[in-house]
């Protein structure tokens, strides 16, 4: 019984810790974002002194009342604090340019920052603001589930339109860690 | 607002712990990237290039006698609108001798030259600046190489052919060769089709299509053509009982007696792991010895004669009735990298070894991670009581912490040895160590009469490190790849441990004159291991005598040199072995005064082989008429990682984003609820 109690507290604790980390970090990131904007929007303002990332964009989903800051670099470390931009994919500002099949990817944890992806539906509209103040409106065009090694969607295809992808792990609320499937929300600029 | 302020102050408090946690997390994510082969792309105009250069690989193997000669052909195709440079890191088998580079542009072929590394690099840089097409091949580690190609014009391709040779391995009456395929198949579209999950997943897959095709018929071809292939010409010289490739499907064609043509079957299995080929002579035709000799080109006065000697000492040489009492020291790596199945395999192997001990033996178990711990202070007799105690100790081992391998060696090798004991150290690790060189030196300087046997555990052990450690430690190397192999591999090792080795091996000619042979010293031979030596022949030599010390006294075998063909493959093996030995023992007491680097450099230049100090360079002298060349700026761009490069290692795939916090909170609450219900129930019972 004591074991169960300890286990329970431990599980609860680590769960709450993860949640708290993701939520609280957003406050610091928001501060960094503001400070960046007041400085002209082109600085790399770190949310805390040892951070190796900085906010690069703000994502707003009016329908779900969501406001998330997107960090630079989707490493495991950064993802614990917030959704992050996957560096090897196309630059976010490039998506607004002419249609040349560019794809950008933003990833986030499915229990915290990107848990809301489950509620997004095809046709939903959201807004992405870059540090420069540049705003882009996106509409969800497709939602699908892929294998983690399937990066074909990131390949430039000159004939296709530019796409922004939001991605998180699938299934949501999985008990097993290291799932191999990804929930991929495809959206196009409108 | 209050909550915000509170939250902020709380965050401040959390920072340190967050920092520690994230540090650990990030380290584990980055660790898997280390030294993995990758294609890095550079755009000359500083733009990001993700999939502009496509690589296809092809390998042609020619096996004859004990040598496998391989041409690896890498085609770099630029599909970008600007000229680019490409840099490619790839593995080759351990101890392979790279001896030729040929660059092909259109129909023109340019022979690469061997040069001192820093000179070659300078030439390459200069050519790159001038807009000339050039390629450079260097050795990064003994089994990791880098090829660089400069100024690939847009839409064109440059092909380089790298030739290397390796000595076949012969164990348990079976020949085998290993070719690291893991790099090539990433770019190989055909193989991607086998795993349903991965059909569309390979990043470079679509780009493999030739550009002409797409432009001709505007239609995307769903089945890209298969550009990688593996062709093997096997000239065994005797009829084979069996040819096997355990991980790939192959087509075998028997074209003549003892001659075979082998190809990867088109509908083969997933080619995501090293290619291994094994073949066996017919029953009763087991090979006991072989001598291959060659003379280099030139007139009779100038040419040099070399021979490659393989000898399988008869099993009787290892068997003995009387046994020296042994002291076995098991050293087990309990660092974090061993966590999981590796640790379980190591424990199983250790249990098998403990079961094999006899009462007259004594033993000890030492574990090391960041610190070193042991079963007991000194070796203890293998009594029933001690063995039970030891099993308990092994059972409780847990993998955690760093890999302080040096501390373990200090503890083991500097311990007092009893002279009448045969002291054998069995070292079990995955070998994920950084400071290999220092460790080699340490082993070499403190070995004494100890013998070091390394056991490689896990799916990707650092076999290069462990093979060399065993060489210097004058023991043997055993590789345990998976659970099913533990028993058979450990049994062979235990047999080797029990039976005395063939020691002090050397070669001499018929007049008892010493010979220039490598590796030097020849590692002690254990049961079922063959002797494999490259030797430079003395003038007019007719016979090679192998001498050594076996448990029965002097061991001697006479081998006759028959026909001598013209060729330089054996001389290259000789030089490669010499370079290996020179580098391995370069900082030992007796060799310190000699300039190893100079020696290695001279050897490598003379025999045209790649070494840490040499490089192959090929520069095109043809006209430069493409646009965008030469570029002013070379910007190094990180290429997108080829996806799914190994199914086993995570970290290359899309970011892992599954948080379990919600489930953890739920689970935690449920457990607490259960506890609450239980207590309620208890107190109810008490009141009743």
């Amino acid at each position: 019984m004591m074991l169960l109690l300890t286990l329970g507290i431990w599980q609860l604790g680590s769960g709450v810790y993860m949640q708290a980390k993701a939520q609280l970090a957003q406050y610091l990131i928001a501060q960094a974002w503001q400070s960046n904007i007041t400085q002209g929007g082109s600085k790399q303002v770190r949310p805390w002194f040892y951070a190796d990332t900085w906010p690069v964009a703000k994502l707003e989903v009016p329908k779900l009342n969501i406001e998330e800051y997107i960090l630079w670099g989707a490493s495991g470390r950064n993802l614990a604090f917030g959704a992050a931009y996957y560096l090897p994919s196309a630059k976010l500002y490039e998506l607004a340019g002419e249609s040349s099949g560019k794809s950008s990817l933003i990833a986030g944890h499915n229990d915290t920052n990107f848990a809301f992806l489950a509620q997004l539906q095809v046709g939903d509209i959201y807004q992405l603001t870059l540090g420069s103040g540049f705003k882009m409106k996106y509409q969800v065009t497709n939602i699908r589930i892929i294998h983690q090694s399937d990066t074909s969607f990131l390949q430039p295809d000159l004939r296709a339109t530019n796409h922004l992808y939001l991605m998180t792990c699938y299934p949501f609320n999985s008990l097993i860690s290291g799932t191999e499937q990804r929930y991929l929300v495809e959206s196009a600029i409108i | 607002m209050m909550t915000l302020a509170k939250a902020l102050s709380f965050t401040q408090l959390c920072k340190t712990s967050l920092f520690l946690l994230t540090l650990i997390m990030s380290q584990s994510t980055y660790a898997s990237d280390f030294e993995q082969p990758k294609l890095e792309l550079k755009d000359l105009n500083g733009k990001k290039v993700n999939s502009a250069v496509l690589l296809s690989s092809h390998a042609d193997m020619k096996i004859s006698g004990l040598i496998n000669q391989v041409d690896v052909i890498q085609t770099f195709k630029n599909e970008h609108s600007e000229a680019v440079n490409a840099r490619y890191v790839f593995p080759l088998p351990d101890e392979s001798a790279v001896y030729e580079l040929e660059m092909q542009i259109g129909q023109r072929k340019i022979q690469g030259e061997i040069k001192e590394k820093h000179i070659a690099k300078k030439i390459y840089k200069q050519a790159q600046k001038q807009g000339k097409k050039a390629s450079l091949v260097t050795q990064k580690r003994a089994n990791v190489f880098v090829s660089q190609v400069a100024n690939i014009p847009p839409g064109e391709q440059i092909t380089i052919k790298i030739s290397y040779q390796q000595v076949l391995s012969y164990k348990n009456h079976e020949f085998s060769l290993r070719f690291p395929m893991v790099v090539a198949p990433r770019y190989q579209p055909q193989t991607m089709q086998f795993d349903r999950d991965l059909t569309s997943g390979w990043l470079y897959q679509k780009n493999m299509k030739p550009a002409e095709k797409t432009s001709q018929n505007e239609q995307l071809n769903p089945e890209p053509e298969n550009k990688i292939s593996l062709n093997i010409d096997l000239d065994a010289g005797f009829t084979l009982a069996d040819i096997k490739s355990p991980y790939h499907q192959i087509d075998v064609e028997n074209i003549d007696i003892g001659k075979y043509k082998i190809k990867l079957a088109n509908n083969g299995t997933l080619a995501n792991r090293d290619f291994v080929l094994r073949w066996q002579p017919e029953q009763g035709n087991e090979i006991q010895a072989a001598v291959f000799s060659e003379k280099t080109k030139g007139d009779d006065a100038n040419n040099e004669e070399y021979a490659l000697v393989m000898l399988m000492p008869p099993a009787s040489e290892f068997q003995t009735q009387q046994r020296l009492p042994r002291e076995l020291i098991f050293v087990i790596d309990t660092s974090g990298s061993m966590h999981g199945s590796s640790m379980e395999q190591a424990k199983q192997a250790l249990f098998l070894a403990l079961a094999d001990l006899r009462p007259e033996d004594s033993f000890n178990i030492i574990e090391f991670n960041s610190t070193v711990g042991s079963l007991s202070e000194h070796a203890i007799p293998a009594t029933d009581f001690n063995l039970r105690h030891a099993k308990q100790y092994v059972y409780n081992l847990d993998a955690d912490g760093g890999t302080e391998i040096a501390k373990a060696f200090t503890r083991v090798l500097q311990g007092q040895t009893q002279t009448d004991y045969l002291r054998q150290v069995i070292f079990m690790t995955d070998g994920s160590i950084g400071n290999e060189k220092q460790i080699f030196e340490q082993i070499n300087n403190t070995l004494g009469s100890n013998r070091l046997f390394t056991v490689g555990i896990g799916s990707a052990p650092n076999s290069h490190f462990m093979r060399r450690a065993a060489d210097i430690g004058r023991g043997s190397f055993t590789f345990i790849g998976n659970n099913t192999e533990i028993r058979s591999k450990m049994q062979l090792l235990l047999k080797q441990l029990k039976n005395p080795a063939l020691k002090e091996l050397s070669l001499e000619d018929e007049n008892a004159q010493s010979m220039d042979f490598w590796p030097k010293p020849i590692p002690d031979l254990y049961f079922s291991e063959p002797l494999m030596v490259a030797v430079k022949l003395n003038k007019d030599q007719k016979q090679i005598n192998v001498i050594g010390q076996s448990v029965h006294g002097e061991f001697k075998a006479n081998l006759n040199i028959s026909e001598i063909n013209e060729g330089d493959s054996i001389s290259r093996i000789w030089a490669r072995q010499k370079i290996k030995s020179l580098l391995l023992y370069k900082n030992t007491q007796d060799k310190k005064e000699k300039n190893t680097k100079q020696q290695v450099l001279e050897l490598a230049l003379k025999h045209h082989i790649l070494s840490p100090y040499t490089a192959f360079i090929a520069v095109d002298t043809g006209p430069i008429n493409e646009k965008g060349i030469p570029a002013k700026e070379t910007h190094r761009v990180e290429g997108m990682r080829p996806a799914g490069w190994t199914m086993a290692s995570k970290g290359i795939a899309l970011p892992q984003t599954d948080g379990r916090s919600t489930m953890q909170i739920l689970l935690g609450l449920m457990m607490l609820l259960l506890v609450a219900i239980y207590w309620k129930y208890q107190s109810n019972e008490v009141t009743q």
Side-chain angles (χ1 to χ4, degrees):
Chain A
M1 207 24 74
M2 277 315 284
L3 179 75
L4 197 61
L5 182 69
T6 340
L7 259 176
I9 291 172
W10 176 62
Q11 285 283 329
L12 187 67
S14 52
V16 168
Y17 175 63
M18 302 260 278
Q19 288 281 351
K21 197 160 105 169
Q23 302 296 333
L24 295 176
Q26 285 288 320
Y27 289 113
L28 292 175
I29 296 168
Q31 278 186 336
W33 176 259
Q34 281 306 325
S35 128
N36 181 24
I37 286 183
T38 51
Q39 288 177 61
S42 57
K43 297 275 191 308
Q44 298 172 351
V45 182
R46 285 152 206 263
W48 46 92
F49 73 98
Y50 57 81
D52 55 1
T53 182
W54 50 87
V56 291
K58 186 161 88 168
L59 181 80
E60 286 161 294
V61 191
K63 182 191 157 195
L64 303 170
N65 202 14
I66 293 277
E67 193 185 284
E68 286 287 341
Y69 293 96
I70 311 301
L71 295 171
W72 179 88
S75 66
R77 180 211 290 237
N78 294 344
L79 284 170
F81 296 112
Y85 158 68
Y86 186 57
L87 296 183
S89 64
K91 295 230 166 39
L92 290 171
Y93 63 81
E94 289 177 346
L95 296 181
E98 57 175 305
S99 218
S100 55
K102 290 202 168 64
S103 306
S104 297
L105 175 66
I106 296 172
H109 273 282
N110 64 4
D111 58 338
T112 51
N113 310 85
F114 265 13
F116 74 88
L117 289 195
Q119 297 159 38
L120 270 185
Q121 283 159 2
V122 173
D124 284 353
I125 290 169
Y126 62 89
Q127 181 173 285
L128 194 73
T129 313
L130 300 182
S132 56
F134 185 69
K135 282 183 170 41
M136 290 180 271
K137 263 203 158 55
Y138 284 92
Q139 184 165 34
V140 178
T141 52
N142 189 9
I143 294 176
R144 61 181 198 265
I145 289 152
I146 56 167
H147 190 263
Q148 61 174 4
S149 62
D150 182 359
T151 49
S152 56
F153 67 92
L154 287 175
Q155 282 192 81
D157 178 357
L158 288 174
R159 285 174 300 269
T161 48
N162 296 341
H163 281 124
L164 175 65
Y165 291 93
L166 306 180
M167 191 197 76
T168 193
C169 277
Y170 185 84
F172 293 93
N173 293 330
S174 162
L175 272 180
I176 314 143
S177 68
T179 55
E180 293 192 344
Q181 286 170 323
R182 298 289 182 273
Y183 190 82
L184 191 69
V185 177
E186 178 191 279
S187 32
I189 202 159
I190 49 170
Chain B
M1 210 50 227
M2 271 301 285
T3 40
L4 185 73
K6 263 188 197 166
L8 280 176
S9 61
F10 178 60
T11 331
Q12 299 285 343
L13 277 172
C14 283
K15 270 182 183 174
T16 8
S17 53
L18 277 181
F19 176 64
L20 285 174
L21 188 84
T22 46
L23 197 72
I24 296 161
M25 278 174 61
S26 61
Q27 273 180 349
S28 57
T29 13
Y30 292 132
S32 55
D33 296 355
F34 183 67
E35 278 295 351
Q36 273 172 2
K38 51 185 170 250
L39 184 66
E40 301 158 16
L41 303 182
K42 298 167 182 176
D43 176 324
L44 295 180
N45 293 338
K47 278 190 196 160
K48 191 165 192 140
V49 189
N50 276 338
S51 49
V53 175
L54 315 170
L55 175 80
S56 58
S57 302
H58 171 88
D60 273 326
M61 301 192 179
K62 245 194 197 129
I63 303 165
S64 168
L66 290 167
I67 301 173
N68 179 20
Q69 265 162 326
V70 187
D71 291 339
V72 176
I73 295 155
Q74 298 172 348
T75 303
F76 295 86
K77 184 161 175 35
N78 180 8
E79 292 210 328
H80 204 252
S81 53
E82 313 282 344
V84 290
N85 305 324
R87 179 184 144 95
Y88 182 49
V89 182
F90 61 100
L92 288 180
D94 296 355
E95 312 305 346
S96 46
V98 177
Y99 63 90
E100 212 173 81
L101 167 71
E102 191 184 85
M103 177 166 70
Q104 189 176 351
I105 304 159
Q107 291 303 310
R108 276 175 300 140
K109 286 182 182 172
I110 298 125
Q111 201 66 31
E113 283 175 74
I114 187 102
K115 289 259 194 289
E116 212 174 317
K117 196 175 189 172
H118 69 98
I119 297 174
K121 276 189 170 167
K122 214 187 261 170
I123 297 174
Y124 177 78
K125 277 218 178 94
Q126 202 182 358
Q128 188 180 319
K129 255 186 215 152
Q130 292 169 342
K132 289 178 183 167
K133 299 177 196 80
S135 56
L136 177 75
V137 177
T138 49
Q139 178 181 336
K140 200 170 173 151
R141 294 165 52 160
N143 52 358
V144 179
F145 297 82
V146 183
S147 61
Q148 283 170 271
V149 179
N151 295 316
I152 314 171
E156 289 186 29
Q157 64 180 42
I158 293 180
T159 300
I160 59 172
K161 187 174 92 180
I162 298 162
S163 306
Y164 75 86
Q165 62 181 36
Q166 70 184 126
V167 183
L168 301 173
S169 135
Y170 184 67
K171 244 183 184 179
N172 282 337
H173 305 297
E174 190 177 68
F175 286 96
S176 68
L177 75 87
R178 181 178 281 268
F179 180 70
M181 287 273 284
V182 165
V183 178
R186 279 187 302 161
Y187 309 101
Q188 198 241 35
Q190 195 75 49
T191 53
M192 310 315 168
Q193 309 298 334
F194 306 118
D195 189 328
R196 281 290 138 221
D197 268 349
L198 296 170
T199 31
S200 57
W202 305 76
L203 193 64
Y204 288 91
Q205 169 180 359
K206 287 190 183 147
N207 296 321
M208 298 283 303
K209 278 188 301 289
E212 309 86 71
K213 254 189 191 167
T214 4
S215 54
Q216 273 166 16
N217 52 5
E218 285 297 294
Q219 213 178 355
L220 281 173
N221 185 353
E223 286 281 327
E225 82 184 51
N226 185 0
K227 277 194 180 173
I228 192 177
S229 39
L230 191 61
N231 289 336
I232 303 174
D233 277 336
L234 172 58
D235 183 2
F238 43 81
T239 321
L240 300 184
D242 200 8
I243 300 180
K244 285 184 290 211
S245 167
Y247 313 125
H248 299 86
Q249 278 187 31
I250 49 170
D251 288 335
V252 180
E253 192 190 343
N254 189 349
I255 47 174
D256 201 349
I257 297 166
K259 284 189 179 168
Y260 302 84
K261 253 192 189 332
I262 299 150
K263 272 197 297 203
L264 273 185
N266 275 336
N267 54 348
T269 42
L270 192 67
N272 65 338
R273 53 188 304 171
D274 291 2
F275 175 80
V276 173
L277 189 73
R278 300 192 180 126
W279 61 100
Q280 265 180 328
E282 275 184 324
Q283 203 71 35
N285 265 346
E286 284 86 2
I287 313 294
Q288 213 68 104
V291 181
F292 293 93
S293 43
E294 275 178 1
K295 61 180 171 207
T296 54
K297 284 181 188 120
D299 54 57
D300 277 358
N302 287 330
N303 62 14
E304 290 165 335
E305 291 174 358
Y306 293 88
L308 185 63
V309 178
M310 191 209 68
L311 176 68
M312 194 67 168
S316 60
E317 292 295 337
F318 297 99
Q319 281 156 8
T320 170
Q321 294 305 313
Q322 58 180 57
R323 287 178 43 175
L324 272 175
R326 302 179 299 165
E327 185 178 315
L328 279 91
I329 311 295
F330 300 99
V331 185
I332 179 164
D333 181 349
T334 52
S335 66
S337 61
M338 291 283 287
H339 190 80
S341 63
S342 299
M343 197 65 214
E344 291 314 307
Q345 286 173 20
K347 282 186 185 182
Q348 274 193 47
L350 207 45
F351 284 133
L352 284 170
L354 287 177
D356 194 61
L357 290 175
R358 293 192 178 188
E360 62 266 29
D361 299 331
S362 62
F363 75 105
N364 199 358
I365 302 172
I366 291 168
E367 63 143 335
F368 72 97
N369 39 59
S370 310
T371 54
V372 180
S374 65
L375 172 68
S376 87
E377 191 62 30
H378 300 287
I380 47 175
T383 58
D384 275 355
F385 176 80
N386 284 341
L387 283 174
R388 263 203 300 277
H389 181 52
K391 276 177 193 157
Q392 193 60 41
Y393 179 82
V394 174
Y395 186 78
N396 287 329
L397 287 176
D398 201 12
D400 197 13
T403 314
E404 289 288 340
I405 218 161
K407 280 188 197 165
F409 276 121
T410 310
R411 169 76 198 270
V412 175
L413 297 179
Q414 281 170 359
Q416 293 301 310
T417 43
Q418 287 168 273
T419 41
D420 53 340
Y421 269 66
L422 191 63
R423 198 159 188 266
Q424 297 171 326
V425 179
I426 297 96
F427 206 93
M428 297 176 175
T429 174
D430 58 359
S432 51
I433 319 150
N435 52 340
E436 296 179 2
K437 272 186 190 152
Q438 282 164 294
I439 305 291
F440 291 147
E441 270 171 45
Q442 190 190 2
I443 299 170
N444 198 22
N445 292 334
T446 56
L447 186 70
S449 59
N450 295 298
R451 292 293 174 263
L452 180 65
F453 297 79
T454 51
V455 180
I457 302 264
S459 56
N462 182 351
S463 65
H464 169 245
F465 167 77
M466 279 178 278
R467 189 166 286 128
R468 288 202 169 181
D471 261 12
I472 309 174
R474 313 192 70 177
S476 70
F477 166 61
T478 308
F479 166 56
I480 298 177
N482 58 43
N483 280 322
T484 55
E485 290 181 343
I486 296 179
R487 188 165 286 274
S488 60
K489 291 284 179 72
M490 278 307 284
Q491 262 158 5
L492 186 63
L493 173 64
L494 294 170
K495 210 165 180 181
Q496 292 183 342
L497 288 170
K498 250 184 276 182
N499 294 304
L502 207 50
K503 292 184 230 178
E504 290 162 43
L505 284 158
S506 72
L507 302 184
E508 55 182 39
D509 69 4
E510 61 266 39
N511 304 321
Q513 297 289 308
S514 65
M515 299 178 71
D516 192 4
F517 60 86
W518 297 93
K520 200 186 281 179
I522 299 176
D524 293 354
L525 284 192
Y526 289 86
F527 177 79
S528 96
E529 285 186 334
L531 167 86
M532 190 77 82
V533 194
V535 58
K536 188 175 178 178
L537 297 179
N538 295 338
K539 261 285 141 310
D540 300 321
Q541 188 178 341
K542 294 279 173 290
Q543 207 177 30
I544 298 173
N545 294 339
V546 180
I547 48 173
Q549 290 296 324
S550 83
V551 66
H552 309 299
E554 187 171 75
F555 166 82
K556 202 166 179 183
N558 302 338
L559 302 163
N560 288 321
I561 303 164
S562 46
E563 53 173 334
I564 300 184
N565 300 318
E566 201 165 86
D568 44 16
S569 53
I570 293 175
S571 67
R572 279 194 292 265
I573 290 169
W574 180 83
R576 184 69 184 81
Q577 287 293 345
K578 185 166 177 179
I579 288 173
K580 176 190 162 189
S581 294
L582 286 175
L583 291 175
L584 207 50
Y585 297 100
K586 79 173 159 191
N587 286 328
T588 52
Q589 304 299 330
D590 49 326
K591 290 221 174 107
K592 221 161 203 167
E593 67 276 17
K594 289 182 198 162
N595 190 343
T596 315
K597 184 181 169 180
Q598 196 55 36
Q599 270 182 298
V600 170
L601 186 62
E602 276 166 20
L603 264 172
L605 288 176
K606 184 183 169 193
H607 294 272
H608 291 256
I609 54 175
L610 218 50
S611 73
Y613 311 119
T614 49
F616 273 106
I617 172 88
V619 179
D620 182 26
T621 47
I624 304 159
N625 44 22
E626 289 92 357
K627 58 161 184 151
I629 283 180
K632 290 179 184 65
E633 200 185 350
T634 302
H635 188 78
R636 188 184 169 130
V637 182
E638 219 180 305
M640 187 182 270
R641 287 206 187 98
W645 108 266
T646 90
M647 246 59 77
S649 87
K650 289 176 193 156
I652 301 297
L654 291 167
Q656 192 69 34
T657 48
D658 57 339
R660 280 159 301 139
S661 60
T662 342
M663 276 326 271
Q664 281 182 329
I665 291 172
L666 273 176
L667 204 66
L669 282 176
M670 264 158 67
M671 286 178 182
L672 292 185
L673 198 68
L674 269 175
V675 175
I677 291 169
Y678 177 75
W679 273 336
K680 186 89 181 162
Y681 179 71
Q682 289 271 326
S683 57
N684 277 353
E685 270 196 345
V686 170
T687 45
Q688 276 168 17

